[in-house]
Amino acid sequence: MLKPDKHTNPVLSVVNISGLIIEQIKNNDIVSYDDLLSNLVNLTSESVKDVFLYSLSFLYLLDKIEYIPDLDALRLKI
């Protein structure tokens, strides 16, 4: 998943998408799941949907983001 090969598109890598997610959440304190996904699609392409959940899982496992179930939103952990 994180190990690149010759077919890896660097724009759609888990590490790059994770960075874009952090950037989007920094700009807005709390971002809804759907808004975040649509912003990433606008920044990259429709193919980001394949990597989006992996990137969220990566950030969650690193304890960088927090999910708010009542709002279906995400925010950065400080």
Side-chain angles (χ1 to χ4, degrees), residues 25-77:
I25 297 175
K26 272 187 181 179
N27 292 339
N28 312 310
D29 292 332
I30 296 175
V31 179
S32 74
Y33 180 89
D34 293 329
D35 290 342
L36 182 60
L37 181 57
S38 66
N39 287 343
L40 290 175
V41 167
N42 290 337
L43 286 173
T44 57
S45 68
E46 285 286 324
S47 300
V48 77
K49 292 179 180 179
D50 298 333
V51 184
F52 182 65
L53 287 176
Y54 293 125
S55 300
L56 285 179
S57 298
F58 177 65
L59 290 172
Y60 187 78
L61 288 171
L62 291 176
D63 204 29
K64 297 297 180 186
I65 59 172
E66 176 180 14
Y67 178 68
I68 307 164
D70 297 337
L71 302 174
D72 191 30
L74 300 158
R75 72 172 157 212
L76 282 177
K77 281 186 151 181

